[in-house]
Amino acid sequence: MWAGGIESESYNATIDIIAEDRTALIADITAAIAAGRLPIRQITSHQLKNGNGNIIVTVEVASLEQLNALIGRICKIQGIISAERTGIV
């Protein structure tokens, strides 16, 4: 059961990622998502003024544990500064 006490089979969860901008960064992030066999619903990215990259990805997850495991995998990627869930409904 998630926020609001409503049970469902899956939820869209958005993760805000800040990382050092480098070649293949998005490929590494999508590989971490694919390793968890999670569908990507949306992904956007842009460069910040300080040169870092900001990637916002929405994935479909079945549980908070699955989401936390994904965030853990993302945080292990080279150059990741932060990764946190956003848009809590």
Side-chain angles (χ1 to χ4, degrees), residues 28-85:
D28 290 345
I29 291 169
T30 56
I33 295 167
R37 302 182 55 83
L38 301 171
I40 296 172
R41 296 297 175 217
Q42 183 176 6
I43 188 166
T44 60
S45 66
H46 64 275
Q47 188 174 38
L48 301 172
K49 288 181 182 180
N50 65 5
N52 289 333
N54 179 214
I55 300 93
I56 300 171
V57 61
T58 301
V59 295
E60 187 176 312
V61 294
S63 67
L64 185 57
E65 292 78 20
Q66 195 176 46
L67 175 61
N68 288 336
L70 173 59
I71 292 172
R73 280 194 303 275
I74 290 171
C75 286
K76 292 178 183 176
I77 296 170
Q78 175 190 352
I80 297 294
I81 297 167
S82 68
E84 59 186 31
R85 180 180 180 197

